[in-house]
Amino acid sequence: DQQVKQNSPSLSVQEGRISILNCDYTNSMFDYFLWYKKYPAEGPTFLISISSIKDKNEDGRFTVFLNKSAKHLSLHIVPSQPGDSAVYFCAASSQYKLSFGAGTTVTVRA
Amino acid sequence: GAGVSQTPSNKVTEKGKYVELRCDPISGHTALYWYRQSLGQGPEFLIYFQGTGAADDSGLPNDRFFAVRPEGSVSTLKIQRTERGDSAVYLCASSPGTGNSPLHFGNGTRLTVT
């Protein structure tokens, strides 16, 4: 029962352009949403989060948008840089437990 | 400061053997989690500790899996009678344990059962 879904397994974007990653969830009890970034042979690293009482949170080049009625969130990265090439995981939390999507591999082309 | 430390980074074992995976969380973090990540998938929840006690072990796949955290800091995930399907990356994470706060992950232990 996958409660968090990332339907795009991969995304290729040119350096300097915007990367948009999407995530859908099914559990209406989720109240905290996060994005993690993962490089090979490393653990996931926290990137940005948003509480269910907000619809947008921005941190530098990263912005997360939450649409609760659609049970959808997205991550915008602008401008995309070569170091952004990684796997991005969407995660959602109810109380203490995080549920993760399957990830989207982002490749930033020079 | 030091992050979450997991040892060993890689473990190869034969089917049927017993393995222990260790996690050293960030100092002061009361919440500790174990996740398992298979190829092409996101991390899957196994067990959650708040302090010394396992507050939620609903993700453990069967009774071959067991985890302890006797002093509320270091945790050990134990797998008995390993099977080839247990091969995965086992991730440990910790958090301060209060309110909504992100989990901080270690680099994981890659377990291969031959």
Side-chain angles (χ1 to χ4, degrees):
Chain A
D1 177 22
Q2 192 154 11
Q3 301 184 72
V4 179
K5 294 183 181 180
Q6 295 177 255
N7 292 320
S8 297
S10 63
L11 172 69
S12 181
V13 63
Q14 192 164 11
E15 182 179 0
R17 306 297 289 267
I18 185 170
S19 294
I20 300 177
L21 291 80
N22 293 300
C23 177
D24 297 296
Y25 62 96
T26 57
N27 188 343
S28 58
M29 299 300 292
F30 288 144
D31 60 1
Y32 182 55
F33 304 88
L34 309 89
W35 286 92
Y36 280 82
K37 177 180 180 179
K38 186 182 183 303
Y39 293 119
E42 295 184 9
T45 302
F46 169 70
L47 197 56
I48 191 169
S49 64
I50 187 167
S51 165
S52 60
I53 62 173
K54 295 187 173 182
D55 56 16
K56 177 182 174 181
N57 188 27
E58 190 172 354
D59 184 0
R61 298 185 297 114
F62 303 92
T63 303
V64 56
F65 296 91
L66 175 62
N67 182 335
K68 280 188 297 182
S69 61
K71 293 191 177 67
H72 178 84
L73 66 156
S74 62
L75 174 68
H76 292 205
I77 306 172
V78 55
S80 299
Q81 299 175 352
D84 296 332
S85 295
V87 179
Y88 290 78
F89 292 100
C90 170
S93 172
S94 173
Q95 298 183 330
Y96 53 83
K97 187 191 301 186
L98 283 190
S99 298
F100 285 84
T104 297
T105 300
V106 172
T107 303
V108 180
R109 310 185 309 271
Chain B
V4 177
S5 176
Q6 290 188 247
T7 55
S9 56
N10 281 283
K11 176 72 177 177
V12 180
T13 190
E14 291 181 350
K15 178 177 177 295
K17 299 289 189 182
Y18 167 83
V19 296
E20 289 189 353
L21 312 180
R22 176 189 166 105
C23 173
D24 205 334
I26 292 173
S27 178
H29 280 191
T30 60
L32 185 145
Y33 301 76
W34 285 98
Y35 279 79
R36 179 168 73 173
Q37 185 175 16
S38 300
L39 196 62
Q41 298 181 20
E44 294 178 294
F45 171 81
L46 294 177
I47 188 169
Y48 158 64
F49 288 89
Q50 182 59 255
T52 59
D56 183 350
D57 64 357
S58 62
L60 295 178
N62 52 59
D63 61 6
R64 296 186 297 106
F65 290 74
F66 189 71
V68 295
R69 193 185 185 198
E71 297 179 357
S73 178
V74 171
S75 176
T76 305
L77 178 65
K78 309 180 181 194
I79 311 174
Q80 299 177 320
R81 304 183 304 280
T82 51
E83 300 178 356
R84 293 196 179 89
D86 299 335
S87 297
V89 175
Y90 289 82
L91 293 164
C92 177
S94 70
S95 79
T98 55
N100 279 330
S101 52
L103 305 189
H104 300 266
F105 283 86
N107 286 336
T109 294
R110 179 174 297 278
L111 175 66
T112 304
V113 182
T114 62

